[in-house]
Amino acid sequence: MKLVNKLPKSDPHLHLDLINSDWVPMKEPKNLISAILLSIPLMIVAAMISIGMITIFSPLSLSDFGMTSGTISISINVGIIFWLVLFVILHELLHLIFVPHFIQSKKTYVGLTLFGGFVVTEEEISKSRYLFITIAPFMIISIILPLLLGIFGLLTPTLKFLIILNAMASSVDLLNLILIMKQVPQHAILKNNGANTYWKRG
């Protein structure tokens, strides 16, 4: 595992080697901005799912987010910034820990940027494992966590906000999930070259 401060770039020589070895490049957004724009509908869906999980146990009102009687009150404190950073780190850790042998891997990269965190691995991974790695933060933080917190009555307004924010931030993950499910056959393996994804029949 390597800590880096920017996304690893695609290696054109590795690209040719992969193509010559029958790896198929996936059709996916060319950059992060395109991916975010394409995932906006999924952002809305993910937020609604997470809100649904929360409201099973705890009502959700505009006052939870500082909106009352037609006014909006925004207060930013050190505590919420700490929780926000913690949730970003937790989100990326939930991608990372399911990467096979991530600690020993020399092809797995972890980093934090102004736009959030990222985990990229160039290890060969089965389709089912890759899908699980992709969806894990959304499932654990925005679906399972609110259910567990709700059972014990621990859903505070701050946690509700962070859980919904994580769901929205998972929209690009959900887009990747859909692209993989549509393009990659069962029992295939996947591999990254920088941010570019390839698949090959297992």
Side-chain angles (χ1 to χ4, degrees), residues 103-120:
I103 294 177
Q104 296 88 357
S105 173
K106 296 180 180 180
K107 299 178 181 179
T108 299
Y109 308 91
V110 184
L112 286 174
T113 70
L114 292 175
F115 301 101
F118 63 86
V119 171
V120 175

Side-chain angles (χ1 to χ4, degrees), residues 64-76:
D64 287 332
F65 307 109
M67 303 178 193
T68 56
S69 303
T71 63
I72 299 176
S73 170
I74 299 175
S75 61
I76 299 176

Side-chain angles (χ1 to χ4, degrees), residues 51-66:
I51 289 169
M53 295 297 104
I54 291 170
T55 54
I56 291 173
F57 298 98
S58 175
L60 195 64
S61 65
L62 293 178
S63 62
D64 287 332
F65 307 109

Side-chain angles (χ1 to χ4, degrees), residues 151-200:
I151 290 170
F152 295 103
L154 299 174
L155 275 170
T156 65
T158 297
L159 287 173
K160 291 177 186 179
F161 170 75
L162 292 170
I163 287 166
I164 295 169
L165 190 63
N166 178 77
M168 296 173 68
S170 299
S171 60
V172 174
D173 292 337
L174 296 175
L175 176 63
N176 290 335
L177 182 84
I178 292 170
L179 292 175
I180 292 167
M181 291 178 67
K182 288 184 66 175
Q183 297 182 41
V184 180
Q186 292 297 325
H187 309 301
I189 52 176
L190 292 101
K191 179 178 177 64
N192 277 63
N193 174 17
N196 298 330
T197 313
Y198 303 73
W199 64 267
K200 183 179 182 180

Side-chain angles (χ1 to χ4, degrees), residues 26-95:
M26 279 185 53
K27 297 175 183 177
E28 51 192 347
K30 299 299 182 185
N31 53 57
L32 181 59
I33 294 175
S34 298
I36 292 172
L37 291 174
L38 285 171
S39 68
I40 288 175
L42 296 173
M43 189 181 298
I44 297 169
V45 171
M48 295 306 295
I49 291 172
S50 188
I51 289 169
M53 295 297 104
I54 291 170
T55 54
I56 291 173
F57 298 98
S58 175
L60 195 64
S61 65
L62 293 178
S63 62
D64 287 332
F65 307 109
M67 303 178 193
T68 56
S69 303
T71 63
I72 299 176
S73 170
I74 299 175
S75 61
I76 299 176
N77 55 51
V78 175
I80 192 68
I81 294 173
F82 169 78
W83 277 105
L84 190 58
V85 173
L86 185 64
F87 262 63
V88 170
I89 293 172
L90 178 60
H91 181 108
E92 299 308 327
L93 280 176
L94 288 172
H95 284 306

Side-chain angles (χ1 to χ4, degrees), residues 91 94-95 133-142 166 170 173:
H91 181 108
L94 288 172
H95 284 306
I133 292 169
T134 301
I135 198 66
F138 174 68
M139 291 294 299
I140 294 172
I141 297 176
S142 293
N166 178 77
S170 299
D173 292 337

